Amino acid sequence: MSFSGMWKLVESDKFDDYMKAIGVGLALRTIGNKTKPSQEIIIDGDNYTIKTISTFKNTEIKFTLGTEFDEKTIDGRNVKTTPTKDGNKIVLHQKGDPDSIITRELVDDNTMKMVLTCKGVVCTRVYKKE
Ligand code: DKA
């Protein structure tokens, strides 16, 4: 079982609330709610590359587990992110305005559950292997 590969969004719950919590305005939320991104995850030891591909924007983050990095989020915030691995979860602690935690959990070979939390809002997004 591995995070490596290409994933496609198939389900999303409370994403609008999450985007509100992180401060995304109505125009961008409307786009965000309609967009079904793909994510490509590439793993080399403790080094991860996550590419998010959508009709709205393509972004890429690169990090090493345990090492804080500067992340520019898809909505344009600059945050300091600490990536860790906890069993079958990759956890990104984003410190910024505001703080947020994003986890990706490998549920089975074909299913990755993403949980995004901010200010008490918990958003769940399910991705399937393409
Ligand atoms: C995802 O990869 C969601 C990532 C969070 C993006 C936050 C703001 C997006 C605004 C369009 O499934």
Side-chain angles (χ1 to χ4, degrees):
M1 232 164 54
S2 170
F3 282 103
S4 297
M6 188 66 91
W7 301 87
K8 179 82 185 164
L9 182 76
V10 292
E11 273 177 51
S12 183
D13 180 53
K14 297 200 170 61
F15 189 51
D16 193 52
D17 292 336
Y18 174 76
M19 288 191 289
K20 276 185 196 164
I22 59 173
V24 178
L26 178 62
L28 189 50
R29 290 209 314 277
T30 305
I31 296 171
N33 284 323
K34 283 190 196 146
T35 305
K36 290 200 188 324
S38 295
Q39 291 183 30
E40 185 181 11
I41 302 181
I42 300 158
I43 304 172
D44 175 13
D46 282 350
N47 302 313
Y48 286 67
T49 302
I50 302 180
K51 298 180 186 182
T52 303
I53 302 130
S54 76
T55 47
F56 164 57
K57 207 185 223 182
N58 296 335
T59 59
E60 180 177 299
I61 55 171
K62 282 179 181 283
F63 58 82
T64 303
L65 293 178
T67 304
E68 185 182 80
F69 68 102
D70 292 315
E71 178 179 4
K72 187 158 186 101
T73 63
I74 296 175
D75 54 301
R77 286 166 302 127
N78 291 305
V79 295
K80 295 264 181 205
T81 301
T82 303
T84 52
K85 185 118 190 287
D86 176 14
N88 56 350
K89 283 184 195 167
I90 300 165
V91 184
L92 300 182
H93 282 258
Q94 295 178 331
K95 276 187 281 167
D97 182 21
D99 291 355
S100 177
I101 298 175
I102 298 178
T103 65
R104 289 174 176 80
E105 178 182 3
L106 209 48
V107 177
D108 61 41
D109 260 346
N110 293 307
T111 313
M112 176 172 77
K113 188 169 87 171
M114 206 173 166
V115 179
L116 304 99
T117 55
C118 180
K119 296 178 178 167
V121 174
V122 181
C123 159
T124 303
R125 283 160 75 80
V126 178
Y127 280 77
K128 291 279 180 188
K129 262 261 165 85
E130 282 194 321

